[in-house]
Amino acid sequence: MDDGGLWNVGHYTGFNPTYYTRVAWPMLQVAHILEDALVREKAILALDTLVERRNENGTFWGWGFKKDKPAFTHTIAYTMRGFLEASIVLDDWERYGAKVEMTLDKFFKLAELNNGRLAGSYDLEWNPADFYTCLTGNVQIALCLTRWYERNGELQLLNAASKLIDFVNGTQCTNAPVKSLNGAVAGSSPLWGRYMMGRYPNWAAKFHADALMLFLKLSKKKEKAWRAAVL
């Protein structure tokens, strides 16, 4: 990492994308476990640099695989999740978490308006590429909304997350002629969408499971509290 909080080598994209917030988050976790002040300092340096890329409308420059193309919801969610989790680890919501509230609110509204079907990608003006859905991004954004719900308790966020997850549930392979595909989640819906076209990436099923487990955990917790209050 250079003195400006960026990495100069080893990029998948050829530049320092903003979704490297997703790298800074585990760096903070490692720093906490190992009590390593240097790793913590470097993670915060990266986050402070990347948060400056925020636009007034809640988008972030460089949060996709290419500088001049719309970003998949997959990498948009990476960007948001890194900021969210970093704020939680640091116990400082205003520093990073608050900076993505506008972004989260935008996706909350899009999920509600479109019954859980997000466009596969968005440009920096929120214009969608809307003929397909990036299924990985759908459930990752559901994860981000549920994490935000854990902070502020707004049930409408949990409802929006459920719609995003339900959309992906409806596309999951459950009775495929090829047994190894059972349980798989495609990159895109339809399968020929631009994200991981024609493929079933393992991380799609991974994030789907993550979103389901967190949603069920929070739903059961809420139901238990409601029953206790009523009874």
Side-chain angles (χ1 to χ4, degrees):
M1 184 187 292
D2 63 24
D3 292 338
L6 298 175
W7 288 270
N8 294 316
V9 295
H11 305 298
Y12 175 72
T13 59
F15 74 105
N16 268 261
T18 308
Y19 62 76
Y20 278 2
T21 60
R22 191 60 168 72
V23 179
W25 162 29
M27 286 175 67
L28 286 174
Q29 291 177 310
V30 167
H32 177 73
I33 293 168
L34 300 181
E35 298 182 354
D36 191 319
L38 178 61
V39 174
R40 184 180 188 276
E41 175 188 325
K42 291 292 186 180
I44 290 173
L45 179 60
L47 290 162
D48 284 345
T49 297
L50 296 173
V51 80
E52 291 300 318
R53 296 180 176 182
R54 180 179 180 272
N55 299 311
E56 290 185 0
N57 65 354
T59 61
F60 285 78
W61 178 86
W63 63 359
F65 288 132
K66 296 181 180 180
K67 297 178 184 179
D68 57 347
K69 299 291 184 181
F72 292 122
T73 50
H74 170 53
T75 56
I76 290 174
Y78 266 162
T79 302
M80 292 194 297
R81 187 84 188 276
F83 282 131
L84 287 171
E85 300 292 349
S87 276
I88 292 169
V89 174
L90 294 169
D91 193 23
D92 187 351
W93 183 257
E94 291 303 315
R95 189 162 189 170
Y96 306 119
K99 301 301 190 298
V100 293
E101 286 186 354
M102 182 184 294
T103 320
L104 289 164
D105 186 64
K106 179 69 175 181
F107 280 114
F108 155 69
K109 291 173 181 174
L110 287 170
E112 289 286 2
L113 289 171
N114 298 292
N115 200 30
R117 181 195 179 278
L118 297 176
S121 61
Y122 294 87
D123 67 17
L124 294 180
E125 300 301 322
W126 290 113
N127 296 310
D130 60 2
F131 86 91
Y132 71 99
T133 295
C134 171
L135 297 174
T136 308
N138 240 54
V139 287
Q140 286 178 273
I141 288 172
L143 276 165
C144 290
L145 290 176
T146 49
R147 291 297 272 163
W148 195 24
Y149 161 76
E150 285 184 286
R151 174 175 175 80
N152 65 22
E154 294 288 341
L155 271 176
Q156 56 188 357
L157 296 174
L158 205 58
N159 183 61
S162 74
K163 291 180 179 180
L164 293 168
I165 296 169
D166 279 345
F167 182 88
V168 178
N169 289 345
T171 70
Q172 186 179 20
C173 293
T174 55
N175 192 27
V178 179
K179 289 185 178 180
S180 60
L181 287 181
N182 282 327
V185 176
S188 296
S189 178
L191 192 60
W192 55 89
R194 286 186 57 246
Y195 180 72
M196 297 297 292
M197 185 184 296
R199 286 172 280 181
Y200 293 88
N202 55 20
W203 55 90
K206 182 266 186 197
F207 283 116
H208 185 221
D210 285 349
L212 280 167
M213 288 188 289
L214 180 58
F215 177 80
L216 290 171
K217 175 185 175 182
L218 296 177
S219 297
K220 289 177 180 178
K221 184 177 180 181
K222 188 65 180 178
E223 181 184 3
K224 185 177 180 180
W226 178 81
R227 288 182 180 278
V230 170
L231 300 176

